[in-house]
Amino acid sequence: MVVLAISRYVSLASIAAAVALPTAVWLTKGLTLGVVTTALGLMAIWKHRGNIQRLLNGTERRLGHRGPLPEAAK
């Protein structure tokens, strides 16, 4: 929620959560759940690869933005 509030990028907040959850689980719960949440986090990041490219290109929409996509995204 902090990443979303600061950046207003939903995809960036999702990626941060996909890293934060497995990290927290490894520190508190142990091996089995750590492996499962790491695998799920990696899959989530893989599914966001298009969003990651748009973030790097500066063409990802921010939360609440209703205007047209930037020219580079068309």
Side-chain angles (χ1 to χ4, degrees), residues 20-38:
L21 177 63
T23 302
V25 169
W26 276 107
L27 294 174
T28 60
K29 297 295 181 185
L31 180 65
T32 304
L33 199 52
V35 170
V36 170
T37 57
T38 299

Side-chain angles (χ1 to χ4, degrees), residues 14-63:
S14 297
I15 294 164
V19 172
L21 177 63
T23 302
V25 169
W26 276 107
L27 294 174
T28 60
K29 297 295 181 185
L31 180 65
T32 304
L33 199 52
V35 170
V36 170
T37 57
T38 299
L40 292 172
L42 289 172
M43 288 190 318
I45 292 169
W46 178 255
K47 293 294 284 185
H48 278 86
R49 62 189 183 277
N51 300 80
I52 293 167
Q53 189 61 51
R54 285 190 296 277
L55 284 165
L56 293 172
N57 292 338
T59 57
E60 180 78 342
R61 281 192 188 179
R62 291 183 186 261
L63 181 66

Side-chain angles (χ1 to χ4, degrees), residues 5-16:
I6 292 171
S7 70
R8 296 185 49 216
Y9 287 117
V10 174
S11 58
L12 187 60
S14 297
I15 294 164

